[in-house]
Amino acid sequence: MPGLNRVQLIGRLGRDPETRHTPTGKNVCHFSLAVDRRWKSSQGEMSEATDWFNIEAWAAWGRSARTT
């Protein structure tokens, strides 16, 4: 698909995936993912932060996310 960006996030699952079905029967899976960032400040101190992402996976990706 032109104009579609792909992102790969590697982190920790925040909670168990929740799966539901739309009225038309498509799978939708919701879960949160925690991704850590580490960096060194200009003063040489190490810092760390955690970013949380809310993920929504549809159709085959939703089935795959629920079973893995």
Side-chain angles (χ1 to χ4, degrees):
M1 287 182 157
L4 181 66
N5 293 322
R6 184 176 182 160
V7 175
Q8 184 175 14
L9 298 172
I10 300 172
R12 297 179 315 280
L13 193 61
R15 62 174 185 223
D16 290 337
E18 298 173 6
T19 302
R20 65 177 177 85
H21 300 281
T22 65
T24 59
K26 292 187 180 183
N27 287 320
V28 183
C29 183
H30 296 270
F31 58 95
S32 60
L33 190 70
V35 177
D36 291 332
R37 293 184 291 131
R38 293 182 184 96
W39 69 94
K40 189 183 285 190
S41 70
S42 58
Q43 292 81 23
E45 295 178 4
M46 290 300 294
S47 297
E48 183 177 331
T50 301
D51 295 318
W52 284 91
F53 295 90
N54 293 317
I55 311 294
E56 183 176 278
W58 285 79
W61 287 106
R63 281 190 303 277
S64 175
R66 179 65 179 130
T67 59
T68 55

